[in-house]
């Protein structure tokens, strides 16, 4: 399993190895058989006791100021936040595509190609920090990043505020909602408020957690395997991840094996400069993961099956069989939720 941020990398590796050995002893009979045998699973109506599960359901409603949500939605889709008026937040976080752009790395102004994969904006309010390397402590702080990044929007607050002040709707709306009118703080607050509304509740798995009979036997077997292997050690909680940092490559050197160790691969190290943080990243949320390809921090993994296989190898020290990989993928598909009633 991936090591927790608070552990040094060497200690984390030993801890991961010990846990992996224990897990192996428990599930050896399972993993050495083909095809996979039937698994005993709890009745679906027992899922209501979700407090006993490592994953908890998303809230079905988030109390927010509707006027600020509407303002933030307009800003989120406004290309005037970029220097050349061509890129909006929604350019990389498409709300009709599970909050991603489907690209390996994002495109910025002038067609510039970024270095990291744009993660989904859906349910991002439940992450403990923002960005892969955690350099933003809040959604408000995150909103400022792309605006100032020369590879993304390439602008700054004086330029953005000047443009928005020319728009009577923005001038009046900001004046109504914020005592200081249009300001950097107000823009960030409005965008962050809108992003907090981007919740995808009522996935089939959330409904199972609440007691409905929404999962098949195969999907329940995939969930049981997900837990037995140790995947839930990092991917748990309300966002099925997103609540601490973990090192990529506990069992083996992921970056050496693929022959690439670029600046964007250094992860948290780029923020702190501490060697212990090298190759550590915020654990990504697995919500809607079946719809958010490509995967990993650099978008280098094209399919969910390949992502599962690599996680098994480098984070769990296991060579997952195709049958195991397929079962886990089936479970992960149940984490797909709807945003504002969209049809899937």
């Amino acid at each position: 399993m991936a090591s927790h941020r608070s552990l040094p990398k060497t200690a984390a590796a030993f801890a991961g190895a010990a846990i992996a050995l224990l897990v192996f002893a428990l599930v050896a009979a399972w993993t050495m058989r083909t095809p996979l045998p039937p698994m005993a699973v709890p009745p679906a109506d027992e899922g209501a006791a979700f407090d006993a599960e490592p994953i908890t359901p998303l809230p079905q409603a988030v109390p927010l100021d509707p006027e600020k949500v509407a303002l933030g939605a307009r800003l989120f889709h406004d290309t005037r936040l970029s220097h050349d008026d061509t890129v909006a937040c929604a350019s990389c976080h498409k709300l009709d595509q599970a909050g991603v752009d489907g690209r390996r790395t994002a495109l910025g102004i002038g067609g510039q190609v970024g270095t990291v994969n744009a993660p989904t904006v859906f349910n991002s309010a439940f992450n403990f920090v923002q960005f892969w390397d955690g350099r933003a402590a809040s959604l408000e702080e995150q909103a400022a990043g792309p605006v100032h990044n020369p590879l993304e929007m390439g602008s700054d607050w004086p330029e953005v505020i000047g443009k928005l002040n020319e728009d009577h709707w923005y001038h009046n709306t900001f004046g109504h909602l914020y005592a200081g009118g249009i300001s950097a703080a107000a823009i960030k607050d409005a965008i962050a408020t809108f992003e907090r509304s981007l919740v995808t509740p009522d996935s089939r798995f959330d409904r199972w957690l609440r007691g409905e009979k929404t999962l098949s036997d195969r999907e329940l077997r995939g969930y049981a395997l997900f837990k037995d292997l140790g995947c839930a050690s990092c991917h748990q909680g309300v966002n099925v991840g997103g609540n601490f940092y973990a090192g990529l490559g506990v069992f083996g050197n992921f970056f050496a094996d693929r022959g690439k160790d670029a600046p964007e691969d250094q992860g948290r190290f780029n923020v702190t400069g501490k060697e212990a943080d090298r190759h550590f990243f915020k654990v990504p949320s697995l919500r809607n993961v079946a719809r958010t390809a490509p995967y990993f921090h650099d978008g280098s993994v094209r399919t969910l099956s390949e992502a599962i296989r690599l996680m098994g190898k480098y984070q769990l020290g296991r060579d997952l069989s195709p049958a195991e990989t397929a079962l886990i993928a089936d479970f992960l598909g149940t984490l797909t939720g709807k945003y504002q009633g969209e049809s899937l």
Side-chain angles (χ1 to χ4, degrees):
M1 69 175 186
S3 53
H4 191 282
R5 166 62 189 86
S6 62
L7 293 174
K9 294 181 88 172
T10 301
F14 281 110
I19 292 173
L21 288 172
L22 177 60
V23 169
F24 179 81
L26 294 172
V27 300
W30 171 281
T31 58
M32 294 178 69
R33 298 180 188 175
T34 303
L36 292 169
M39 172 175 282
V41 296
D45 57 3
E46 290 185 9
F50 60 78
D51 55 347
E53 298 293 342
I55 301 171
T56 53
L58 285 166
Q60 294 179 291
V62 181
L64 297 166
D65 183 332
E67 291 185 291
K68 287 187 177 181
V69 170
L71 172 58
R74 184 158 176 169
L75 289 166
F76 189 85
H77 291 87
D78 199 325
T79 59
R80 285 174 290 184
L81 269 65
S82 66
H83 178 66
D84 63 359
D85 299 342
T86 62
V87 176
C89 304
S91 300
C92 298
H93 303 287
K94 301 179 186 297
L95 302 189
D96 61 349
Q97 295 183 29
V100 298
D101 58 5
R103 298 183 53 84
R104 179 169 180 171
T105 58
L107 286 180
I109 60 172
Q112 296 181 99
V113 180
T115 59
V116 295
N117 178 257
T120 179
V121 71
F122 286 168
N123 307 304
S124 58
F126 303 106
N127 293 329
F128 85 119
V129 292
Q130 305 300 325
F131 295 119
W132 285 97
D133 57 15
R135 63 185 182 274
S138 66
L139 286 173
E140 288 82 359
E141 189 176 343
Q142 185 277 331
V147 171
H148 294 84
N149 190 322
L151 290 179
E152 297 182 53
M153 293 182 169
S155 189
D156 54 46
W157 289 130
E159 180 178 56
V160 171
I161 293 169
K163 292 178 183 178
L164 298 185
N165 264 318
E166 296 176 355
D167 186 309
H168 291 298
W169 187 88
Y170 276 130
H171 182 83
N172 294 336
T173 303
F174 272 99
H176 168 64
L177 295 174
Y178 298 95
I182 301 177
S183 67
I187 294 170
K188 291 188 292 183
D189 180 76
I191 292 175
T193 301
F194 169 65
E195 290 178 337
R196 290 189 175 95
S197 76
L198 300 176
V199 181
T200 60
D202 295 326
S203 71
R204 288 194 296 117
F205 187 74
D206 284 294
R207 288 160 55 197
W208 177 80
L209 286 172
R210 294 188 176 104
E212 296 184 44
K213 297 180 180 181
T214 53
L215 302 188
S216 69
D217 176 72
R218 182 176 176 82
E219 290 163 343
L220 287 169
R221 291 170 65 194
Y223 178 45
L225 184 59
F226 181 86
K227 292 186 290 184
D228 287 345
L229 289 173
C231 307
S233 297
C234 290
H235 295 287
Q236 27 66 17
V238 69
N239 220 13
V240 200
N243 53 5
F244 62 87
Y245 300 113
L248 179 52
V250 176
F251 294 92
N253 192 323
F254 173 81
F255 299 98
D257 288 351
R258 71 172 186 168
K260 175 181 174 290
D261 198 0
E264 62 270 16
D265 298 324
Q266 309 313 306
R268 186 71 180 151
F269 172 82
N270 290 333
V271 179
T272 69
K274 297 178 180 179
E275 186 59 35
D277 288 332
R278 193 181 296 278
H279 300 149
F280 271 68
F281 300 88
K282 178 191 68 182
V283 175
S285 166
L286 294 185
R287 288 198 172 275
N288 302 296
V289 69
R291 298 183 64 200
T292 57
Y295 304 102
F296 290 19
H297 64 286
D298 59 354
S300 59
V301 180
R302 299 184 63 179
T303 68
L304 182 57
S305 294
E306 179 67 2
I308 294 169
R309 186 189 71 80
L310 289 172
M311 285 290 97
K313 178 178 180 179
Y314 287 100
Q315 302 307 103
L316 304 172
R318 299 292 302 275
D319 289 324
L320 299 179
S321 70
E324 290 173 313
T325 300
L327 271 181
I328 294 173
D330 284 350
F331 155 64
L332 294 178
T334 72
L335 295 171
T336 298
K338 297 181 179 180
Y339 167 62
Q340 291 188 347
E342 66 174 334
S343 59
L344 301 176

